Amino acid sequence: MFTGIITDIGEIIAVQNNGDLHAKITCSYDMDSVDIGASIACGGVCLTVVDKANEPKPWFSVDISDETINCTADFWQVGQKLNLERSLKVGDELGGHIVSGHVDGVGEIISYKEVAGSWALTIKAPADIAPYIAPKGSITINGISLTVNGVEDRNGGCYFTLNIIPHTSQVTTLHNAKAGDSVNLEIDVLARYMKRMMAVKAM
């Protein structure tokens, strides 16, 4: 379980295909405080630490299944920067919203432009998750908890907009985002349950 508040930016420095994809990721965490088997959200994807060290600089390794690769944005390669968040502990501040690290779909950045000191981000979402995206609702973009400003339904999906304040841009990978990039989307768990309840009630 996560909050969508990014605590570090990592970089993939090695990948190896051993059936599953094995990736080594640098970070600034003290890896003595991270257990083998711990969960870290990497670009919004909950992954398990299978190896780690603090030298020559902190790093950890994860195994990424074909299923995960097929369901997430295409950024599992050397040099890719990833938003990182360690799993939530009991008593931690819930500064964003409840995030599972399970990607619901892959979106595409349509535009990302500066407006009055902040940044206006427009993303196209697939049709199957469009019903779960609502103005003033929460959504996770590459692991970042964000609030939806507006939604426009179109054939084949929907376009939704978000306002990115300078701090969020600076401390996440969004400072390098551009039109055409694919992004991991996770809908608000409350929206997921509400849609299910309405479907059952209509039966």
Side-chain angles (χ1 to χ4, degrees), residues 64-195:
I64 309 162
S65 69
D66 284 343
E67 173 68 15
T68 297
I69 292 171
N70 291 335
C71 294
T72 59
D74 182 21
F75 54 35
W76 304 112
Q77 61 262 338
V78 171
Q80 179 68 47
K81 300 292 181 67
L82 299 171
N83 295 315
L84 302 180
E85 182 188 356
R86 295 181 61 178
S87 57
L88 185 65
K89 296 184 179 70
V90 175
D92 284 352
E93 180 180 352
L94 185 60
H97 71 283
I98 296 174
V99 174
S100 68
H102 300 156
V103 174
D104 293 296
V106 176
E108 179 188 353
I109 295 179
I110 300 302
S111 66
Y112 191 44
K113 56 187 178 181
E114 189 173 5
V115 178
S118 291
W119 294 84
L121 175 61
T122 301
I123 295 174
K124 180 182 179 182
D128 59 336
I129 66 172
Y132 303 94
I133 303 173
K136 307 306 177 186
S138 296
I139 193 165
T140 307
I141 310 296
N142 285 348
I144 311 165
S145 172
L146 295 168
T147 300
V148 177
N149 281 3
V151 179
E152 180 183 350
D153 291 311
R154 301 189 186 183
N155 291 336
C158 74
Y159 286 58
F160 65 96
T161 58
L162 311 119
N163 182 72
I164 309 300
I165 63 173
H167 173 77
T168 300
S169 176
Q170 291 165 8
V171 300
T172 69
T173 58
L174 283 178
H175 64 273
N176 287 325
K178 62 185 183 304
D181 286 352
S182 59
V183 292
N184 291 323
L185 305 178
E186 181 184 334
I187 58 175
D188 188 351
V189 64
L190 297 178
R192 182 184 290 112
Y193 282 120
M194 182 64 70
K195 184 72 162 57

Side-chain angles (χ1 to χ4, degrees), residues 10-18 21-27 42 47-48 50-64 75-82 84:
E11 180 179 352
I12 299 176
I13 59 170
V15 293
Q16 185 176 2
N17 197 325
N18 298 322
L21 191 68
H22 184 78
K24 185 176 181 179
I25 302 169
T26 59
C27 62
C42 303
L47 296 173
T48 300
V50 298
D51 196 7
K52 61 167 188 164
N54 273 320
E55 300 294 338
K57 58 183 178 180
W59 61 268
F60 63 94
S61 292
V62 295
D63 290 326
I64 309 162
F75 54 35
W76 304 112
Q77 61 262 338
V78 171
Q80 179 68 47
K81 300 292 181 67
L82 299 171
L84 302 180

